[in-house]
Amino acid sequence: MSDKFYLYLVAAVGALLLVSLALAMRRAWRNSRPRSGSSATRFGKDIHLRDLFRLAVQLEEEGYAFYLKMAEKVSDQAAKELCLWLDGEEARHRDIFQAQIDGWRPLGTHARDWPLFIKNVKKEGFFSSPPGAGSSEKELAAYAIRQEIKSAEFYLLFEDSFPEAWKRVEMHGLVAAERGHEARLRAAYPGVV
């Protein structure tokens, strides 16, 4: 056998090892748990990054639905356009998380841990109910501002809880976007707290 053959064999084995390592690291990332003592552990001890991504999808879907309804209620054309733009932003954010989840092996939620996780998340105000059908435009705007603040806080949990994994999905960009949404809402509705 020639030296070329051995060189190709070593290169092939090396490539196989690199691919195996990359796949192992990818699996470890999606199943990673929050760093001990981090902010996300207050939601439960058996929370995985996948669970936070699922929740992010739900948060963004609720935001999407809310802004569509708000757009129907507002009278000012500029405010209506803002709501429709925010609706598109929420859909884009949802798609970021859903694309990541779709790239992983399908796994259902844990029957015991998921309900507890959602209960704990609701205690933190991440899933507060939107104002009722008879709410004023200012009440809707106040709710929207609070939700944008809570969304930014939620995405900041990734940095604290998953110091490496959060970088891969560009959490800083999402936090900045949510804060930008809040700023636009405050500009459109001055005086709303």
Side-chain angles (χ1 to χ4, degrees):
M1 301 219 176
S2 70
D3 289 340
K4 266 188 170 178
F5 173 77
Y6 287 114
L7 186 60
Y8 287 129
L9 181 62
V10 167
V13 168
L16 182 62
L17 287 172
L18 284 174
V19 168
S20 297
L21 179 62
L23 289 173
M25 288 174 65
R26 183 176 177 200
R27 281 190 300 273
W29 176 63
R30 73 170 174 252
N31 291 321
S32 62
R33 289 194 169 125
R35 182 179 52 76
S36 180
S38 69
S39 303
T41 56
R42 70 181 182 256
F43 300 129
K45 62 181 177 155
D46 292 321
I47 300 307
H48 294 88
L49 184 60
R50 182 187 301 259
D51 297 324
L52 291 173
F53 276 38
R54 284 184 178 125
L55 183 60
V57 167
Q58 289 181 6
L59 287 170
E60 296 297 343
E61 284 177 347
E62 285 187 7
Y64 172 85
F66 173 78
Y67 284 121
L68 274 180
K69 289 178 184 174
M70 187 172 169
E72 293 172 3
K73 291 188 142 219
V74 299
S75 54
D76 180 65
Q77 186 59 34
K80 185 179 291 290
E81 288 173 11
L82 174 61
C83 290
L84 293 173
W85 179 80
L86 288 167
D87 166 71
E89 285 284 288
E90 301 299 313
R92 191 176 63 76
H93 294 171
R94 176 204 59 214
D95 293 346
I96 290 169
F97 290 105
Q98 191 61 55
Q100 189 65 51
I101 292 170
D102 291 346
W104 294 335
R105 181 173 51 95
L107 285 177
T109 58
H110 192 279
R112 182 196 59 179
D113 294 336
W114 183 255
L116 181 61
F117 172 57
I118 294 298
K119 179 182 174 187
N120 290 336
V121 165
K122 284 182 178 183
K123 282 183 193 174
E124 295 288 324
F126 291 115
F127 272 116
S128 62
S129 298
S135 301
S136 71
E137 189 173 334
K138 285 189 175 190
E139 289 171 318
L140 295 173
Y143 172 80
I145 290 168
R146 283 191 308 275
Q147 288 307 105
E148 295 297 344
I149 292 168
K150 291 306 280 185
S151 294
E153 289 174 4
F154 178 72
Y155 295 137
L156 282 171
L157 288 174
F158 285 84
E159 183 174 359
D160 177 47
S161 304
F162 298 92
E164 295 304 316
W166 71 273
K167 294 175 188 173
R168 295 185 179 196
V169 289
E170 302 175 22
M171 286 299 146
H172 277 309
L174 287 168
V175 169
E178 300 297 344
R179 288 181 173 160
H181 299 171
E182 175 195 353
R184 284 182 163 206
L185 285 162
R186 287 188 185 280
Y189 294 96
V192 171
V193 180

